[in-house]
Amino acid sequence: MSDRAMQEPTLLLLTALADEPRHGYAIAREVELISDGRVKMRTGTLYGALERLLGQGLIEVHEEQIVDSRLRRTYSLTAEGRQSLAAEAQRIAATAREAARRLGVSGGTATA
């Protein structure tokens, strides 16, 4: 990936897959959980994003199985996806530290 900041949907999807492989519905639930209910991905948006991430090599199909006569894919991070997510997490953490420093925030309280 580039040095550009990751878009929030990409960040949330990769984070949802960071600890274990998941199928689409489980990814959508995890995104909602991670975002504290703020982001709810519609089916079309979710699967479009998953296809894009597959094409970028950030995720891969971990497993395919037939469930109730329908194909269910389970997705997982690739090594590149894991590296991109780790780099983005570091970038966000550094920005948050600098914002807190400039605000005079220490231990969750402002001094101003």
Side-chain angles (χ1 to χ4, degrees), residues 50-101:
L50 290 173
E51 286 300 317
R52 180 178 51 78
L53 295 173
L54 280 166
Q56 292 174 342
L58 298 178
I59 65 171
E60 63 190 356
V61 175
H62 178 76
E63 182 179 43
E64 291 182 326
Q65 57 185 196
I66 303 297
V67 177
D68 296 329
S69 302
R70 295 175 57 184
L71 179 65
R72 175 187 273 183
R73 284 183 169 176
T74 303
Y75 301 90
S76 61
L77 288 182
T78 61
E80 183 179 351
R82 190 167 294 284
Q83 183 179 12
S84 292
L85 180 59
E88 185 66 3
Q90 288 176 347
R91 186 194 69 75
I92 291 168
T95 302
R97 281 191 304 273
E98 182 60 16
R101 185 189 71 75

Side-chain angles (χ1 to χ4, degrees), residues 22-40:
R22 289 186 165 85
H23 57 80
Y25 179 71
I27 294 169
R29 283 194 339 240
E30 204 62 24
V31 163
E32 191 171 345
L33 180 69
I34 292 165
S35 69
D36 201 24
R38 191 174 42 79
V39 177
K40 295 178 172 92

